[in-house]
Amino acid sequence: MNTLLRQLPQVDALLGAAGMASLVSAYSRQEVAAALRAALEALRRDVKAGHLTQLPDFEADAFAESLAGTIDAARRPNLRPAINATGIIIHTNLGRARLAPEALAAVQAAGADHSNLELDLDTGRRGSRYAHVEHLICELTGAEAALVVNNCAAAVLLSLMATAQGRKVVASRGELIEIGGAFRLPDVIQQSGAILKEVGATNKTRVKDYEEAIDPETAVLLKSHTSNYQIVGFTHAPRREDLAALARASGTILMEDLGSGVLVDLSPYGLTDEPVVSAVLKSGVDIVMFSGDKLLGGPQCGIIAGRADIIRHLKTHPFCRAVRIDKLSLAALEATLRLYRAPHDPFRSVPVLRAIVQPLEAVRARAGRLAAALTASGLDDVTIVPSEAFVGGGSLPQRHLKSYAVSVVLPHQTPDALAAALRKARPPVIGMIREGRFVMDVRTLTDDEVTCVVGAFAGLRSR
Ligand SMILES: *Cc1c(COP(=O)(O)O)cnc(C)c1O
């Protein structure tokens, strides 16, 4: 082992060798040196681990080719498009909502050029960045006023900080959620400087429970969407109208963290559990918070909508400046919101909604195209199977959408190995493993992506 380690050349010595000259001219000295360093480090590890009894031929073409591969990989963006074949339409790990072309064009324009981001073109004076979307949000939700921040977590934190710092927040024990990535409502309340007063039981909370908890120190009644779980069986939660009446009578603010927040009614499509933002506000909730990149189908952001006096107060809070939305997200949000009004139809124009309402026959036809192309490319064990797709993103946790998937088994390859190899494809294909088979739900694929998936399988076999 020690002899092998001693035989490992220095980076500089290799860099000067004849075999490297063409690499250095094709790439750059710096890139070749970095690739050599990585290669030598890997060899050193392998020798130490006893995996290697002989060093490679550093003069051989194969070594130069492997370095070229390393350099090409290093040049590719790390954050790259991937194909979501999981059937989960809003998948946080895969970047949540796809943006509509109109939103992408708006991002392009806002990024490439200067803009009237905070300039009032009528007066020539400083304007508000919120002005670009506030009227649209109000029109679509019926809110008196609105504000947009970096994400929904920030929206909840800001709302509590600005209204309940040092005072009490009453929340039901059935709604103290934790959602992915360490967002726990009790912790968020504590971070805001408010004091949590839990009421009711896990399965049942009544208006009387809230009422009895209210004292002069109480500032907020907080409702939250139980995004990623459901309490079933003997359950009770008060009607929003009744909590709103209680809030008015007690001089407290009724606030609701809606999480996903949908602007249109999805119940004609069988998704009956997701409260529409306008209906929630109409029922008397003072302010609501919801994400931009979940069911709304826009960029990452958090929207706060509701009573004008409260929103005005939030806008002047120092924390609001710390979590303000950036211009690219703002551009994408405005463009996405416009897809909800004439002449557009959001169910056609917003990709998230389109994927949800896509008829089952269309999904079945796509599965058929994918399966046929894979079979035609020489795979033997390809089948179309019924599947369950999910909206995801903390909305409608228990509701699945009927879907279809293509299931593949390759000879001499475990499903795990196949999944790993497809993650390395360009673009990566992310599927699932079910009952010992690699499965791709096609509800989340576009027709172009079907072609990419076929290409990814072809690439596996040509390696
Ligand atoms: C998703 C979610 C959040 C967090 O939203 P982000 O936009 O990811 O910050 C907060 N509350 C609920 C109920 C959610 O579902």
Side-chain angles (χ1 to χ4, degrees), residues 41 52 70 153 172 200 315 354 361 437:
E41 192 45 50
L52 215 61
T70 306
S172 162
K315 279 180 182 167
R354 198 166 56 224
E361 312 85 74
R437 298 176 66 91

Side-chain angles (χ1 to χ4, degrees), residues 274-360:
E274 199 62 37
V276 181
V277 177
S278 56
V280 173
L281 287 171
K282 201 165 180 195
S283 67
V285 176
D286 293 308
I287 56 167
V288 295
M289 302 75 125
F290 55 99
S291 284
D293 56 353
K294 292 183 177 173
L295 275 170
L296 190 133
Q300 178 189 308
C301 63
I303 297 173
I304 310 175
R307 248 169 62 187
D309 58 329
I310 302 175
I311 299 290
R312 207 177 311 122
H313 178 57
L314 298 189
K315 279 180 182 167
T316 58
H317 194 278
F319 187 66
C320 186
R321 171 62 179 80
V323 293
R324 80 177 179 193
I325 185 171
D326 74 289
K327 66 180 179 183
L328 300 183
S329 304
L330 191 64
L333 177 63
E334 180 185 355
T336 305
L337 291 171
R338 288 188 184 281
L339 297 176
Y340 281 86
R341 63 207 299 262
H344 301 282
D345 171 0
F347 290 106
R348 286 168 183 271
S349 304
V350 177
V352 163
L353 297 179
R354 198 166 56 224
I356 291 172
V357 306
Q358 179 174 217
L360 189 59

Side-chain angles (χ1 to χ4, degrees), residues 92 96 150-156 177 179-180 183 185 224-228 257-260 289-294 300-302 393-395:
T92 297
R96 291 199 183 159
N150 184 48
N151 57 16
C152 186
V156 175
I177 54 167
I179 53 172
F183 180 92
L185 204 52
S224 47
H225 190 298
T226 54
S227 295
N228 49 12
D257 173 10
L258 286 171
S260 204
M289 302 75 125
F290 55 99
S291 284
D293 56 353
K294 292 183 177 173
Q300 178 189 308
C301 63
S395 47

Side-chain angles (χ1 to χ4, degrees), residues 32-337:
V32 177
L36 275 173
R37 219 170 286 123
L40 291 172
E41 192 45 50
L43 287 171
R44 195 168 293 122
R45 263 199 314 274
D46 284 351
V47 171
K48 281 185 181 162
H51 295 331
L52 215 61
T53 51
Q54 203 188 340
L55 293 180
D57 178 358
F58 296 110
E59 294 292 322
D61 288 348
F63 184 67
E65 273 167 28
S66 85
L67 290 182
T70 306
I71 298 171
D72 286 337
R75 282 186 172 190
R76 280 195 291 277
N78 213 52
L79 177 62
R80 61 188 80 159
I83 293 179
N84 173 8
T86 64
I88 300 169
I89 295 169
I90 306 167
H91 195 310
T92 297
N93 299 2
L94 299 179
R96 291 199 183 159
R98 290 179 202 267
L99 294 179
E102 291 84 349
L104 294 173
V107 169
Q108 162 80 29
D113 295 316
H114 296 289
S115 63
N116 61 337
L117 181 64
E118 291 191 354
L119 178 72
D120 184 330
L121 294 175
D122 289 331
T123 62
R125 283 206 282 273
R126 181 168 188 167
S128 157
R129 67 178 60 210
Y130 308 120
H132 305 292
V133 291
E134 184 166 10
H135 63 287
L136 288 169
I137 298 169
C138 292
E139 175 189 311
L140 295 168
T141 63
E144 287 173 9
L147 164 67
V148 189
V149 292
N150 184 48
N151 57 16
C152 186
V156 175
L157 188 53
L158 169 63
S159 301
L160 290 170
M161 278 171 113
T163 59
Q165 205 155 43
R167 302 183 66 199
K168 284 187 197 159
V169 172
V170 181
S172 162
R173 291 198 168 89
E175 295 178 348
L176 294 174
I177 54 167
E178 170 183 309
I179 53 172
F183 180 92
R184 281 186 160 183
L185 204 52
D187 298 342
V188 174
I189 293 170
Q190 198 190 5
Q191 273 302 315
S192 76
I195 300 144
L196 170 62
K197 172 75 185 151
E198 297 178 26
V199 294
T202 306
N203 58 331
K204 291 193 181 189
T205 305
R206 298 192 169 73
V207 178
K208 198 156 83 48
D209 297 318
Y210 287 87
E211 194 171 356
E212 285 170 3
I214 295 175
D215 64 18
E217 292 303 303
T218 307
V220 167
L221 310 184
L222 177 65
K223 267 188 73 62
S224 47
H225 190 298
T226 54
S227 295
N228 49 12
Y229 66 95
Q230 258 181 350
I231 297 174
V232 295
F234 292 99
T235 64
H236 182 80
R239 294 186 332 130
R240 290 189 181 85
E241 287 80 357
D242 298 336
L243 282 180
L246 177 62
R248 269 194 301 279
S250 59
T252 55
I253 294 171
L254 178 59
M255 215 180 254
E256 183 161 350
D257 173 10
L258 286 171
S260 204
V262 65
L263 298 180
V264 287
D265 186 9
L266 291 175
S267 59
Y269 302 95
L271 303 173
T272 50
D273 300 337
E274 199 62 37
V276 181
V277 177
S278 56
V280 173
L281 287 171
K282 201 165 180 195
S283 67
V285 176
D286 293 308
I287 56 167
V288 295
M289 302 75 125
F290 55 99
S291 284
D293 56 353
K294 292 183 177 173
L295 275 170
L296 190 133
Q300 178 189 308
C301 63
I303 297 173
I304 310 175
R307 248 169 62 187
D309 58 329
I310 302 175
I311 299 290
R312 207 177 311 122
H313 178 57
L314 298 189
K315 279 180 182 167
T316 58
H317 194 278
F319 187 66
C320 186
R321 171 62 179 80
V323 293
R324 80 177 179 193
I325 185 171
D326 74 289
K327 66 180 179 183
L328 300 183
S329 304
L330 191 64
L333 177 63
E334 180 185 355
T336 305
L337 291 171

